[in-house]
Amino acid sequence: MNSRYVPAFAHALRETALHNPKFRIGAGLLALFAALVPAAPAHAYTITISSGSRAIYLQVGQGGYSGTHLNGGTPGNNGTVNTVSVSVPAGVVASGTAQQMTSNSTVSQSPIDGFVFCSPPSQVYIGAWSRPGGTSSGVATLTVTTPANLTSGSDTIPFSQISWTMSGIGDTVFQFPNGSFTGGTQTLATFPANTWKEQCMTFQYANSVLPAAGTYTGRAVYTLSLP
Amino acid sequence: MMHRFALALACCLSAALTAPALAQTVAAPDPGVRTFRVDDSGTVVLDPFLEMQWQPSGPAGASNIVSASTRVSVQLNLATWVGQVGRIYMTLPRSSGPTVRASWRTGGGLLAGSLISGERALVYSGPIGSPILRDIIDLRLEVDSARLAGPESLSFGFEIELAP
């Protein structure tokens, strides 16, 4: 009920202010007084959270972390290029029976917290994180690039003969797909802002071609990029 | 009907068994009660700027949740309400940023508990016997890392409810 009268009262005040200079001065003094009143006590405590400065990190096999991330470890460079290999006995070459490959990687622990995640030498750790920093929400991309063939002199084996399976000790979340090399650039994963993904790769040689005897080599290059 | 009743009872028992000592998270005040903001200007945050860290990977692999912890020396000015009975809640207003989960342990003066931004949680219930209520709380903050684009300022507060 009262609210019906308030607009009329307010209207009357506006009329008075417009036509009575003294009232307008009074209103100005009131505003000044309000500005001089000491501020009321703060009613909140504030905490600012952030994801940190812009950075990315990629580890395939041996890595560059000093300690573990959760214990204050920091990422660094490691120039090691790990090798994955298999020797196929002459009697089973081209039998179509896949041959499991082994690596010279010794990494078993996650650099996040030291959790024993991978089982070398049959498994190779792969993990990466992206932190766009600032106000960016950029998505990082992990790719792997291979040539068309493994080579031994002029002899070749298609790189597509090699495939991988992703897993990890107690793993239930698969963050990278299983696949086989295509002899080109393949996208393995994307990383939303502030994401860490990790897995363990087990490589297999399909053994479905009959190449000349020899040692065939090729290099897979993993790249993490953030726009 | 019986089935529904049994289900509701089971739900309540489950909640009681899993979190008996935690503060109660309440979305809205009861009607009829008087609610006031509490002067917590004496509160000090040990480290008010936190760089969030990834969670331990564990068997599920790396998580999208990042977290950080700090210690807060809480000081609430309750002089206005000494001699009354009240409930004090910790609040964290919802913002345009990512949803934040806060959980805390206390030194005993306040209740331990947790809340999601936009909620409030009971941290004290009973008579207001002293003009100043102090406690140390170990506060842990968690957020979905993919939604944390830039620095986010979290403004915690306290409010008191007095019985009508």
Side-chain angles (χ1 to χ4, degrees):
Chain A
M1 289 293 289
N2 287 339
S3 63
R4 290 169 52 191
Y5 297 96
V6 170
F9 178 64
H11 179 70
L13 280 179
R14 279 199 298 273
E15 290 282 340
T16 305
L18 287 171
H19 296 100
N20 185 342
K22 287 182 181 175
F23 188 90
R24 271 182 284 177
I25 292 170
L29 288 175
L30 182 65
L32 178 62
F33 173 76
L36 293 176
V37 169
H43 290 307
Y45 66 91
T46 302
I47 299 172
T48 301
I49 58 174
S50 72
S51 58
S53 55
R54 179 179 169 89
I56 54 175
Y57 176 76
L58 169 63
Q59 176 176 339
V60 182
Q62 306 298 133
Y65 249 91
S66 63
T68 63
H69 181 79
L70 291 185
N71 285 330
T74 53
N77 294 320
N78 187 327
T80 303
V81 178
N82 286 113
T83 301
V84 179
S85 62
V86 63
S87 294
V88 184
V92 297
V93 169
S95 68
T97 300
Q99 307 289 303
Q100 182 167 319
M101 305 178 80
T102 58
S103 80
N104 64 351
S105 171
T106 58
V107 175
S108 62
Q109 294 176 296
S110 164
I112 300 177
D113 60 348
F115 178 79
V116 177
F117 192 44
C118 298
S119 302
S122 63
Q123 292 186 325
V124 178
Y125 176 88
I126 180 170
W129 56 254
S130 171
R131 203 172 55 197
T135 56
S136 169
S137 57
V139 174
T141 303
L142 175 63
T143 61
V144 59
T145 301
T146 50
N149 297 300
L150 301 157
T151 58
S152 175
S154 59
D155 297 320
T156 62
I157 295 175
F159 227 113
S160 58
Q161 286 284 297
I162 299 176
S163 61
W164 68 86
T165 303
M166 296 289 184
S167 62
I169 295 174
D171 205 5
T172 57
V173 179
F174 294 91
Q175 297 171 317
F176 303 107
N178 300 332
S180 57
F181 295 113
T182 59
T185 297
Q186 302 162 253
T187 298
L188 293 182
T190 55
F191 292 71
N194 312 310
T195 307
W196 190 322
K197 296 182 177 183
E198 58 179 2
Q199 209 97 60
C200 309
M201 298 183 288
T202 303
F203 291 95
Q204 287 186 322
Y205 172 61
N207 192 29
S208 62
V209 296
L210 183 57
T215 299
Y216 293 79
T217 61
R219 178 173 291 190
V221 179
Y222 294 81
T223 304
L224 180 66
S225 58
L226 175 66
Chain B
M1 289 298 291
M2 285 296 290
H3 180 70
R4 243 187 286 175
F5 172 76
L7 188 64
L9 182 62
C11 176
C12 294
L13 282 175
S14 170
L17 288 172
T18 52
L22 294 181
Q24 180 187 10
T25 300
V26 180
D30 296 331
V33 301
R34 294 169 296 155
T35 304
F36 304 93
R37 294 303 303 267
V38 176
D39 172 14
D40 67 350
S41 54
T43 295
V44 176
V45 182
L46 189 64
D47 183 0
F49 298 97
L50 300 176
E51 186 172 300
M52 305 299 273
Q53 304 291 323
W54 283 284
Q55 304 260 36
S57 51
S63 166
N64 273 2
I65 302 298
V66 289
S67 64
S69 299
T70 188
R71 178 164 282 189
V72 183
S73 173
V74 176
Q75 179 173 302
L76 304 181
N77 183 353
L78 304 176
T80 307
W81 304 289
V82 168
Q84 301 187 58
V85 174
R87 292 179 175 183
I88 300 173
Y89 297 88
M90 185 154 77
T91 64
L92 176 60
R94 197 170 192 166
S95 71
S96 58
T99 299
V100 175
R101 177 168 55 215
S103 54
W104 59 91
R105 294 174 300 166
T106 72
L110 299 173
L111 295 172
S114 66
L115 60 77
I116 301 288
S117 49
E119 294 182 333
R120 60 179 192 164
L122 184 70
V123 293
Y124 181 83
S125 179
I128 309 299
S130 169
I132 299 293
L133 175 58
R134 293 188 182 89
D135 201 356
I136 302 288
I137 65 174
D138 290 315
L139 184 65
R140 176 182 170 83
L141 302 170
E142 296 173 286
V143 65
D144 181 345
S145 58
R147 296 173 184 269
L148 185 63
E152 293 287 339
S153 186
L154 310 176
S155 295
F156 290 87
F158 293 90
E159 58 188 33
I160 184 170
E161 274 185 6
L162 301 175

